[in-house]
Amino acid sequence: MQNNKVNTAEQERELFEQRVATNKAAIDSGDFSNFDDEVEFTLEQQRKLEQIELDKVAPTNPEAILEVRHLKKFFVLKKTFLGKPLSSLKAVDDVSFMVKPGETLGIVGESGCGKTTMGRTILKLHEPTDGQVFFEGEDIAKYSQKDMRALRTKMQIVFQDPYSSLPPRSTVGDILSEPVKVHNIVPQSEVKDYVMDLMEQCGLRDYYYERYPHEFSGGQRQRICIARALAVKPKFVVCDEPVSALDVSIQAQIINLLKKLQIERNLTYLFISHDLSVVKYISDKIGIMYLGSMVEFGNKTDIFNNPLHPYTEALFSAVPNPNPDEKTKKIVLTGDIPSPANPPKGCKFHTRCPRAMEICKHIAPEYKEMGEGHFCACHLYD
């Protein structure tokens, strides 16, 4: 009986190796008619697991305030009777990057690509499915909510909607004083003076102290949200599309305020947006996300002067040109965005890519460094 099991295992291994050899021959010849997607998926998962295991024991970068390795966040859609997941929505799928103190990392992508989920997962507002999040050299991915309490003064978030993110029954003074009191930022007798000084730094008048959120405009509310985030003296702030709900003139004021506060307080930003002109103005590094994955990452000048990924090129072509004499060729992406619950095989972008090749339909491209600090995942550069 034991010999039969051994023989069966050997036969299965030999069969798998034959299918791998067939796939290699298909790649070399360019004829994918006999390509086995199931075998390629198995090999891809093996490669990812090997890389994850290597990165787990790799030392952290001493210059980085935040280092994210293979971050994943899946939301379970269906379970078995015993609670085992049957299908999941892959909101964030294997994302890695690094941010140094005082830098601004801009995260760009269309709606539904996982930008906001990634930001909230880094702050542990969502529990990570897998991966590592190093903040100041410590892996906080496995921290409990109790452990995270001490870090809440170092990591903060400015939410997208300034209307729903403020409690309507609290005055501005109460909203800004509460985190200061809870975390003992200053002695009790100095709280009001501290809050008044903070309001002045954020462009808020002193008589706003006794007013309620409904009495303010969208721009003023966002200033209150920024002041609330900075009340506990954080080092790292996630700005989740902080200007998308505001008028253009007010956007400029809020962006200039964020830059001013960054210099004064030596803040590090993770700036999430879909507006490339805003990201270009405020960011030092830029990451492009598509369907939960990072497809391109690099310095601002490299990304804007030399975009490598077809998706990045399509995003840039959609930016309006203020010069009426210059005509820009827009890249129109056809088809609908695939579901993150059932992403396409191979490259996730191949169903909409104007430069897709046959290999893109079967093999996921490797995310690798094309130049100094410039990463891209595309078969065009294999």
Side-chain angles (χ1 to χ4, degrees), residues 292-308:
S293 299
M294 195 79 76
V295 296
E296 190 166 356
F297 180 90
N299 294 321
K300 174 174 65 176
T301 51
D302 293 338
I303 295 288
F304 275 88
N305 295 338
N306 183 31
L308 298 177

Side-chain angles (χ1 to χ4, degrees), residues 66-69 71 121-122 131-135 138-141:
L66 178 74
E67 189 172 351
V68 176
R69 296 180 184 176
L71 184 65
T121 306
I122 289 170
Q132 296 172 291
V133 179
F134 292 96
F135 182 75
E138 292 290 326
D139 185 6
I140 65 172

Side-chain angles (χ1 to χ4, degrees), residues 219-276:
Q220 290 170 326
R221 289 189 192 203
Q222 198 61 287
R223 288 176 184 269
I224 296 168
C225 293
I226 292 169
R228 179 177 61 179
L230 301 184
V232 292
K233 300 180 180 179
K235 296 180 180 179
F236 173 71
V237 181
V238 174
C239 301
D240 182 14
E241 302 198 39
V243 297
S244 64
L246 309 177
D247 293 337
V248 175
S249 59
I250 306 301
Q251 286 184 10
Q253 294 177 20
I254 297 299
I255 293 298
N256 288 331
L257 173 65
L258 288 170
K259 286 182 72 72
K260 177 179 80 77
L261 292 169
Q262 183 177 30
I263 295 168
E264 291 175 356
R265 293 170 170 256
N266 192 29
L267 295 169
T268 305
Y269 289 147
L270 180 69
F271 193 89
I272 298 167
S273 180
H274 58 261
D275 191 332
L276 283 162

Side-chain angles (χ1 to χ4, degrees), residues 168-343:
R169 292 181 178 84
S170 299
T171 63
V172 172
D174 292 336
I175 291 169
L176 300 184
S177 299
E178 184 179 8
V180 178
K181 293 174 182 176
V182 169
H183 293 284
N184 298 315
I185 303 301
V186 295
Q188 195 75 16
S189 59
E190 300 175 18
V191 170
K192 186 169 183 178
D193 291 337
Y194 175 82
V195 170
M196 286 291 193
D197 184 51
L198 180 64
M199 288 172 63
E200 185 181 349
Q201 290 179 32
C202 294
L204 297 166
R205 304 293 179 86
D206 54 0
Y207 55 83
Y208 291 173
Y209 190 87
E210 298 295 338
R211 290 190 178 181
Y212 291 87
H214 73 269
E215 300 180 67
F216 297 98
S217 66
Q220 290 170 326
R221 289 189 192 203
Q222 198 61 287
R223 288 176 184 269
I224 296 168
C225 293
I226 292 169
R228 179 177 61 179
L230 301 184
V232 292
K233 300 180 180 179
K235 296 180 180 179
F236 173 71
V237 181
V238 174
C239 301
D240 182 14
E241 302 198 39
V243 297
S244 64
L246 309 177
D247 293 337
V248 175
S249 59
I250 306 301
Q251 286 184 10
Q253 294 177 20
I254 297 299
I255 293 298
N256 288 331
L257 173 65
L258 288 170
K259 286 182 72 72
K260 177 179 80 77
L261 292 169
Q262 183 177 30
I263 295 168
E264 291 175 356
R265 293 170 170 256
N266 192 29
L267 295 169
T268 305
Y269 289 147
L270 180 69
F271 193 89
I272 298 167
S273 180
H274 58 261
D275 191 332
L276 283 162
S277 55
V278 170
V279 170
K280 184 178 182 179
Y281 180 69
I282 197 171
S283 301
D284 301 302
K285 293 178 180 176
I286 295 175
I288 311 293
M289 283 188 71
Y290 181 77
L291 215 64
S293 299
M294 195 79 76
V295 296
E296 190 166 356
F297 180 90
N299 294 321
K300 174 174 65 176
T301 51
D302 293 338
I303 295 288
F304 275 88
N305 295 338
N306 183 31
L308 298 177
H309 201 278
Y311 180 62
T312 311
E313 294 174 351
L315 288 178
F316 286 179
S317 75
V319 178
N321 192 340
N323 188 346
D325 298 325
E326 286 185 16
K327 289 188 177 180
T328 56
K329 185 180 178 182
K330 288 191 176 181
I331 302 173
V332 180
L333 300 178
T334 58
D336 296 327
I337 304 172
S339 169
N342 186 27

Side-chain angles (χ1 to χ4, degrees), residues 15 55 76 95 106 118 153 188 190 201 241 260 286 374 381:
L15 181 61
D55 289 342
V76 177
V95 170
M118 185 190 71
T153 57
Q188 195 75 16
E190 300 175 18
Q201 290 179 32
E241 302 198 39
K260 177 179 80 77
I286 295 175
H374 194 167
Y381 310 102

